[in-house]
Amino acid sequence: MHTDSNCIFCKIVAGQIPSRKVYEDDELLAFHDIAPWAPVHVLIIPKVHIASMVDVAEAHAALLGRMMVLSARLMRELGVTNGYRHVINTGRDGMQEVPHLHLHVMGGPRPWSKG
């Protein structure tokens, strides 16, 4: 599996940095965001290092589909019943802060409104 030793999310996958995990399998890891924008805010990341959506290829289609299906399952399990939002920031102009593909899933009242 491809990893980047300088990537904070790769370090979380490797267990070098703790996280509040909500799901893990051979391909995906989901954990609570450390700076949530909503009452429920989880990140779903592939364990393989993919820097951003710019680097996604046809070979990643099933992995991205699994991320989306998992997001619905996690929101149900975490008690989100009135909708949620998916966000994938891509690149500097897209406000991506960590260069490792990650899906934000935010649920609860007005999850897009911080402050």
Side-chain angles (χ1 to χ4, degrees):
M1 179 179 305
H2 173 70
T3 62
D4 179 337
S5 61
N6 294 316
C7 173
I8 190 168
F9 286 170
C10 287
K11 290 178 180 181
I12 290 172
V13 168
Q16 298 168 346
I17 296 175
S19 66
R20 290 181 36 222
K21 294 179 190 176
V22 292
Y23 178 85
E24 183 173 16
D25 67 20
D26 291 341
E27 295 182 311
L28 300 174
L29 177 65
F31 52 94
H32 290 277
D33 193 295
I34 61 168
W37 281 43
V40 176
H41 184 168
V42 297
L43 301 177
I44 301 175
I45 65 170
K47 287 187 170 182
V48 63
H49 183 81
I50 302 169
S52 76
M53 286 297 291
V54 172
D55 301 298
V56 168
E58 279 292 321
H60 300 118
L63 180 66
L64 293 176
R66 289 196 63 238
M67 290 171 70
M68 297 304 288
V69 171
L70 177 60
S71 71
R73 173 182 157 190
L74 292 178
M75 289 297 104
R76 280 191 304 273
E77 290 176 0
L78 294 170
V80 176
T81 60
N82 200 29
Y84 46 92
R85 184 173 185 193
H86 294 91
V87 176
I88 298 177
N89 299 318
T90 304
R92 182 176 307 159
D93 288 343
M95 299 178 61
Q96 183 178 1
E97 294 179 6
V98 177
H100 184 119
L101 178 66
H102 54 288
L103 170 63
H104 294 262
V105 189
M106 298 169 277
R110 297 178 44 91
W112 53 89
S113 177
K114 186 174 182 179

